[in-house]
Amino acid sequence: QVQLVESGGGLVQAGGSLRLSCAASGRTFSSYTMGWFRQAPGKEREFVAALRWSGSGSVYYADYANSVRGRFTISRDNAKNTVYLQMNTLKPEDTAVYYCAARWRQDSSRAYDYDYWGQGTQVTVSS
């Protein structure tokens, strides 16, 4: 069982930055694929970014949605059981509830593939 708790959301002006954090429980955190998803009002939950273990050492592979590539960066600190989402050059269309998710090892951009979810944190970008 993995429990996830997000933090770091808030209100920011367009062009600004925020860093989201997701603290995870569990002793095998380093082997989990960690993903970020978001859901805006009236829209489906969509993939933002994911970080998958390569299976070798401390090498991880990152994947991003086209809409955030070059602006967002996903990273993790396994010693702290935490995954981060650094969001730069934020746009009003980035406004959504952001969710952290985990699944065992396999990479995926599909929400239904993830087994564990946090409660979400609100990000609002004003124009």
Side-chain angles (χ1 to χ4, degrees):
Q1 189 76 9
V2 177
Q3 293 183 325
L4 305 172
V5 179
E6 302 98 333
S7 61
L11 174 63
V12 64
Q13 288 189 332
S17 298
L18 280 175
R19 189 177 80 156
L20 305 183
S21 299
C22 173
S25 64
R27 292 176 291 178
T28 57
F29 172 76
S30 62
S31 298
Y32 277 85
T33 293
M34 300 301 297
W36 285 98
F37 291 78
R38 65 187 182 187
Q39 188 166 17
K43 295 188 176 181
E44 293 187 353
R45 191 168 298 190
E46 65 173 2
F47 172 75
V48 175
L51 199 55
R52 173 180 64 88
W53 184 46
S54 68
S56 175
S58 59
V59 178
Y60 289 82
Y61 298 120
D63 188 22
Y64 297 94
N66 289 336
S67 60
V68 306
R69 186 174 287 113
R71 299 188 297 123
F72 291 10
T73 302
I74 187 172
S75 63
R76 63 196 296 160
D77 185 338
N78 290 335
K80 296 181 178 179
N81 274 20
T82 300
V83 63
Y84 304 98
L85 185 68
Q86 177 66 43
M87 305 185 295
N88 298 328
T89 319
L90 282 161
K91 305 175 182 180
E93 51 264 43
D94 294 318
T95 295
V97 177
Y98 282 71
Y99 296 91
C100 174
R103 72 173 305 210
W104 180 249
R105 293 197 174 186
Q106 298 294 316
D107 193 15
S108 177
S109 60
R110 298 173 299 195
Y112 60 76
D113 283 334
Y114 286 76
D115 302 305
Y116 304 102
W117 291 85
Q119 81 288 351
T121 185
Q122 177 70 47
V123 172
T124 303
V125 184
S126 63
S127 57

